[in-house]
């Protein structure tokens, strides 16, 4: 016995709602759509606000440790050699 | 099961095996082709099958109908009905509806009302529904559901929601609806009135008058024992169906749909009328001295009383009536029809005397209006209107026509209204008659239920008594139990919890 038996109100092949179900849901369609619009607006606006707020951050306040040119050249050489070793 | 919706009955019979009462399609896979696969992938509907009911394949003029019944009905119309334009016999079959409607083609063309109101569209529906019932297709929609599953409420807003929330077979076409609603109209109409989530709201939002709500509240007290502190169950609820004909022939499992709306409540259906019991073996209406009892199961029994209501009422067979447990239903009684109006004139006073609600349906608006007019002309003083005339949300959706006048189309239980014998003075207003007037004159006027009005300044526990006020009293007899005269200028009168003094001044 299936836990979720095949719904009588869905086409067994396409899983589309049957005309009877569409008729039954008709009185609720516009109010459901309005509720969907309100809820999705809240969600989307929260995401949008978060994204735009975080996008303003330029990470200026993150301290970068001081490094001399000689040390930088050395690190670059190490990186190149490890890259060649891999190949 | 579901396959029968997509497959034709013919294909089903030839190519399917029946397993546990479900149809397993085998043919469909064989004739699958590339178009079907594409259509399936896109989620499109398959092309309509030529055997599925449609307006085209169910349309036949009744004169040349494949069904002998309908050819016979066409002949009846030709023999008995008269043309609405010329008043002569009917000889012309309307090409739009396939039903004989007029004397000649000229008369049909001249009938501007017929064309302006598109009457032929309704007549065409009569035609195609009748042919569909006789088409011999599978009727999977007659496989009714059982008990309502736990924690799922039935929505009684309309047929579609009722079928969906009760998980009926998915009825996708008007043909399936017409076949099923014609049967279920009777039990579901009753259920939709009595149910606690009835779609009929109190005035001004709906058609139910305050008096109607009082009667319905009394019945709902019995229908929902779990919602009250005292869960004592009295005898079964009695639903009297007066003048039963088709209702009495409905099988038990159809009436059982009413029980599923009120789980764990016991019902007794009392069908009353000389044509309430049809014996299918003898092919005639049976009359019996004793009531015929059919017990469907432990919560539903059907009892057939094969005589008029007034006969049983006078014999006190149904006594005592209890407005908490009893209600009356008459489905299209035709109160004003000359053939039966004398019988109703005998029955209706008895029905009003019971003080139980009476719900009446009509075939169409004219029929309902005629019934209401007849009741108001004859019994207006003795009754309260419970439900004003309203469209019955659970009317049959199958259009029918009157053979004697094919343009008179109707649907079963299309209109609904409710009345009840006036059990109490709903708008009791007390008239301050001169203090010298004898008590006798007051008592007689009140027992007759005549309205009297207050002219006195009176006080209810500090508040000013309005000029008219509503009081609830049980019966004329009880009224006198509560109503006491004080010698002098005061009437002291007690209404359940409310005590008020009325000062006579004149």
């Amino acid at each position: 016995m299936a836990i979720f038996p095949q719904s009588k109100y869905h086409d067994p092949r396409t899983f589309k709602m049957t005309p009877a179900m569409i008729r039954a849901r008709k009185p609720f369609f516009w109010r459901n759509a309005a509720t969907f619009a309100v809820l999705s607006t809240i969600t989307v606006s929260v995401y949008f606000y978060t994204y735009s707020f975080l996008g303003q951050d330029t990470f200026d306040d993150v301290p970068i440790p001081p490094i001399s040119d000689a040390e930088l050249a050395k690190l670059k050489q190490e990186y190149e050699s490890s890259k060649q070793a891999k190949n | 099961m579901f396959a029968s919706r997509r497959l034709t009955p013919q294909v089903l019979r030839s190519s399917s095996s029946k397993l546990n009462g479900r149809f397993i399609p085998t043919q469909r896979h064989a004739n699958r082709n590339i178009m079907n696969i594409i259509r399936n992938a896109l989620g499109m509907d398959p092309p309509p099958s030529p055997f599925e009911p449609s307006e085209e394949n169910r349309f036949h003029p009744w004169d040349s109908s494949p069904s002998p019944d309908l050819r016979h009905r066409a002949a009846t119309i030709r023999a008995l009905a008269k043309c609405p334009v010329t008043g002569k016999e009917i000889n012309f079959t309307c090409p739009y509806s396939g039903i004989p409607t007029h004397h000649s083609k000229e008369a049909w063309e001249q009938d501007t009302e017929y064309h302006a109101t598109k009457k032929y569209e309704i007549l065409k529906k009569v035609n195609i529904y009748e042919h569909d019932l006789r088409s011999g297709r599978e009727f999977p929609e007659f496989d009714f559901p059982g008990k309502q599953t736990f924690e799922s409420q039935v929505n009684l807003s309309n047929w579609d929601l009722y079928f969906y929330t009760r998980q009926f077979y998915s009825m996708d076409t008007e043909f399936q609806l017409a076949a099923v609603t014609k049967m279920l109209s009777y039990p579901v109409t009753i259920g939709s009135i009595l149910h606690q989530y009835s779609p009929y709201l109190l005035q001004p939002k709906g058609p139910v008058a305050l008096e109607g709500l009082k009667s319905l509240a009394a019945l709902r007290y019995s229908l929902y024992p779990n919602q009250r502190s005292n869960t004592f169950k009295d005898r079964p609820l009695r639903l009297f169906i007066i003048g039963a004909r088709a209702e009495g022939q409905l099988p038990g499992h159809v009436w059982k749909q009413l029980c599923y709306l009120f789980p764990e409540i016991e019902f007794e259906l009392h069908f009353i009328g000389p044509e309430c019991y049809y014996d299918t073996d003898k092919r005639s209406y049976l009359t019996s001295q004793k009531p015929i009892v059919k017990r469907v199961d432990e919560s539903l029994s059907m009892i057939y009383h094969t005589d008029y209501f007034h006969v049983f009422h006078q014999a006190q067979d149904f006594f005592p009536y209890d407005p908490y447990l009893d209600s009356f239903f008459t489905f299209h009684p035709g109160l004003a029809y000359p053939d039966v109006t004398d019988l109703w004139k005998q029955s209706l006073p008895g029905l009003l005397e019971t003080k139980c609600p009476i719900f009446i349906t009509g075939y169409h608006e004219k029929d309902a209006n005629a019934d209401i007019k007849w009741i108001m002309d004859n019994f207006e003083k003795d009754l309260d209107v419970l439900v004003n005339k309203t469209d019955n949300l659970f009317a049959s959706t199958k259009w029918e026509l009157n053979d004697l006048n094919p343009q008179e189309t109707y649907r079963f239980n299309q209109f609904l209204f409710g009345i009840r014998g006036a059990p109490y003075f709903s708008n009791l207003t007390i008239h301050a008659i001169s203090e010298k007037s004898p008590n006798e004159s007051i008592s007689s006027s009140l027992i007759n239920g005549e309205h009297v009005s207050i002219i006195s300044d009176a006080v209810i526990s500090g508040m000013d008594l309005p000029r008219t006020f509503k009081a609830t009293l049980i019966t004329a007899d009880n009224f006198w139990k509560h109503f006491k005269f004080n010698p002098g200028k005061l009437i002291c009168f007690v209404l359940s919890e409310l005590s008020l003094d009325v000062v006579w001044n004149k």
Side-chain angles (χ1 to χ4, degrees):
Chain A
M1 190 66 203
I3 303 170
F4 298 108
Q6 165 73 48
S7 163
K8 293 174 184 175
Y9 284 82
H10 286 96
D11 190 291
R13 232 157 30 88
T14 59
F15 291 99
K16 287 205 310 187
M17 291 189 280
T18 60
M21 189 178 184
I22 293 169
R23 283 201 311 271
R25 289 168 54 116
K26 207 173 150 195
F28 308 102
F29 180 82
W30 286 111
R31 270 175 294 168
N32 283 355
T35 311
F36 170 75
V38 169
L39 292 179
S40 53
T41 311
I42 293 169
T43 316
V44 168
S45 52
V46 165
Y47 271 95
F48 184 78
Y49 172 74
T50 312
Y51 183 79
S52 58
F53 181 79
L54 293 181
Q56 291 164 6
D57 199 344
T58 52
F59 299 99
D60 287 341
D61 50 341
V62 179
I64 297 169
I67 191 162
S68 67
D69 286 348
E71 209 169 342
L72 193 69
K74 195 188 159 203
L75 285 171
K76 215 168 188 175
Q77 205 183 0
E78 267 177 28
Y79 172 72
E80 292 294 330
S81 59
S82 70
K83 209 174 165 186
Q84 272 179 0
K86 265 187 190 170
N87 295 334
Chain B
M1 195 185 62
F2 44 75
S4 45
R5 192 173 61 244
R6 295 282 164 229
L7 285 182
T8 64
Q10 281 78 356
V11 172
L12 264 176
R13 256 181 246 118
S14 61
S15 66
S16 65
S17 53
K18 218 177 181 186
L19 187 70
N20 298 332
R22 294 175 174 194
F23 287 109
I24 309 297
T26 53
Q27 182 81 48
R28 197 171 60 204
H29 302 288
N31 54 26
R32 188 180 261 186
N33 58 29
I34 187 75
M35 273 315 291
N36 283 353
I37 293 168
I38 293 169
R39 205 182 284 121
N40 202 1
L42 295 173
M44 283 156 63
D45 288 324
S49 138
F51 300 104
E52 225 163 271
S54 70
E55 287 206 1
E56 290 74 38
N57 67 16
R58 293 289 183 264
F59 180 82
H60 307 277
W62 275 16
D63 293 306
S64 53
S65 163
S67 153
D69 289 1
L70 297 178
R71 289 201 300 272
H72 182 77
R73 274 190 77 180
T76 315
I77 292 172
R78 282 168 185 274
L80 299 175
K82 291 272 171 283
C83 171
V85 178
T86 57
K88 293 178 191 161
E89 78 278 5
I90 285 177
N91 264 328
F92 178 74
T93 298
C94 167
Y96 299 148
S97 65
I99 285 166
T101 49
H102 290 84
H103 176 66
S104 61
K105 189 162 189 203
E106 288 72 48
W108 177 73
E109 278 164 356
Q110 282 164 21
D111 196 344
T112 47
E113 199 200 325
Y114 181 78
H115 294 278
T117 56
K118 301 211 167 171
K119 195 90 204 214
Y120 49 83
E121 286 185 357
I122 293 173
L123 288 171
K124 187 176 182 182
K125 293 230 180 282
V126 178
N127 183 345
I128 57 180
Y129 291 161
E130 290 291 344
H131 275 114
D132 181 55
L133 285 182
R134 292 163 174 83
S135 66
R137 69 171 169 98
E138 296 270 342
F139 287 97
E141 63 268 29
F142 282 119
D143 197 4
F144 291 164
K147 264 186 193 154
Q148 183 72 357
T149 47
F150 182 60
E151 286 194 334
S152 55
Q153 189 58 255
V154 182
N155 190 325
L156 289 164
S157 302
N158 57 43
W159 276 121
D160 290 325
L161 277 160
Y162 168 77
F163 287 139
Y164 178 63
T165 51
R166 282 281 294 128
Q167 286 289 299
F168 271 78
Y169 179 83
S170 173
M171 285 175 250
D172 297 345
T173 65
E174 54 182 329
F175 298 94
Q176 294 166 324
L177 282 173
V180 172
T181 56
K182 190 180 172 184
M183 267 193 173
L184 282 176
S185 176
Y186 300 100
V188 184
T189 298
I190 297 176
S192 69
I193 298 167
L194 302 183
H195 199 273
Q196 60 175 342
Y197 301 127
S198 165
Y200 305 107
L201 303 176
L202 186 64
Q203 276 172 336
K205 280 186 171 178
V208 179
L210 187 64
E211 288 306 311
L213 194 63
K214 288 177 191 171
S215 270
L216 290 172
L219 289 166
R220 284 170 195 163
Y221 177 86
S222 307
L223 284 166
Y224 298 98
N226 298 333
Q227 293 181 12
R228 48 184 212 237
S229 53
N230 176 9
T231 54
F232 167 72
K233 263 196 204 171
D234 212 320
R235 62 174 170 80
L237 265 88
R238 294 191 297 183
L239 304 175
F240 294 94
I241 292 155
I242 315 288
R245 280 193 304 259
E247 306 90 288
Q249 293 174 38
L250 289 180
H253 75 270
V254 175
W255 284 107
K256 196 67 194 141
Q257 291 301 321
L258 172 64
C259 296
Y260 294 136
L261 291 176
F262 306 101
E264 295 177 28
I265 300 296
E266 289 174 38
F267 286 101
E268 276 178 13
L269 291 168
H270 291 263
F271 298 97
I272 301 165
E275 292 181 332
C276 75
Y277 191 79
Y278 185 77
D279 193 314
T280 41
D281 298 331
K282 291 180 185 164
R283 289 175 174 268
S284 66
Y285 293 105
L286 276 195
T287 50
S288 143
Q289 289 294 313
K290 276 186 181 171
I292 305 163
V293 180
K294 271 193 197 169
R295 212 166 161 75
V296 180
D297 62 7
E298 65 276 5
S299 64
L300 179 67
S301 46
M302 309 204 287
I303 301 149
Y304 300 86
H305 307 270
T306 55
D307 208 338
Y308 297 106
F309 174 76
H310 51 260
V311 177
F312 299 110
H313 183 73
Q314 277 152 18
Q316 300 207 331
D317 277 9
F318 303 130
F319 202 78
Y321 300 98
D322 184 345
Y324 279 78
L325 295 165
D326 298 331
S327 47
F328 293 87
F329 296 87
T330 66
F331 296 108
H332 9 82
L335 301 172
Y337 279 83
D339 311 350
V340 291
T341 193
D342 286 340
L343 290 164
W344 282 113
K345 231 172 197 164
Q346 293 175 59
S347 282
L348 212 68
L351 288 171
L352 295 174
E353 248 172 57
T354 64
K355 315 293 183 200
C356 297
I358 307 153
F359 297 98
I360 303 168
T361 66
Y363 288 119
H364 46 67
E365 190 150 26
K366 219 171 135 194
D367 181 46
N369 285 341
D371 284 352
I372 293 171
K373 187 174 179 296
W374 183 85
I375 289 173
M376 288 306 171
D377 287 351
N378 290 287
F379 300 100
E380 188 172 11
K381 275 191 173 176
D382 309 326
L383 60 83
D384 288 324
V385 174
L386 304 188
V387 179
N388 293 301
K389 188 192 76 182
T390 176
D391 279 337
N392 182 5
L393 296 166
F394 291 93
S396 157
T397 60
K398 183 173 179 289
W399 282 101
E400 318 270 348
L401 64 80
N402 181 358
D403 284 357
L404 302 179
N405 175 13
Q407 297 210 24
E408 186 188 345
T409 50
Y410 61 89
R411 293 186 289 141
F412 287 122
N413 304 327
Q414 201 177 354
F415 283 88
L416 174 75
F417 63 98
I419 54 167
R420 184 199 53 208
Y424 30 70
F425 303 99
S426 52
N427 272 309
L428 177 73
T429 42
I430 297 162
H431 185 51
I433 310 157
S434 161
E435 55 181 307
K436 284 169 198 160
S437 72
N439 290 351
E440 291 306 310
S441 69
I442 303 169
S443 84
S444 65
S445 74
L446 284 169
I447 278 169
N448 288 343
E450 281 171 22
H451 285 214
V452 257
S453 57
I454 284 198
I455 333 171
S456 68
D457 298 312
V459 179
I460 316 173
S461 48
M463 284 189 298
D464 284 335
L465 183 70
R467 290 215 154 207
T468 57
F469 67 98
K470 285 191 176 174
T472 313
L473 296 160
I474 318 303
T475 59
D477 293 338
N478 284 0
F479 182 81
W480 286 108
K481 280 174 204 153
H482 295 310
F483 207 107
K484 289 171 193 158
F485 286 96
N486 282 354
K489 294 184 175 181
L490 276 175
I491 301 172
C492 175
F493 119 33
V494 186
L495 298 165
S496 52
E497 299 122 35
L498 188 75
S499 158
L500 44 95
D501 296 341
V502 180
V503 183
W504 289 15
N505 68 344
K506 194 178 178 185

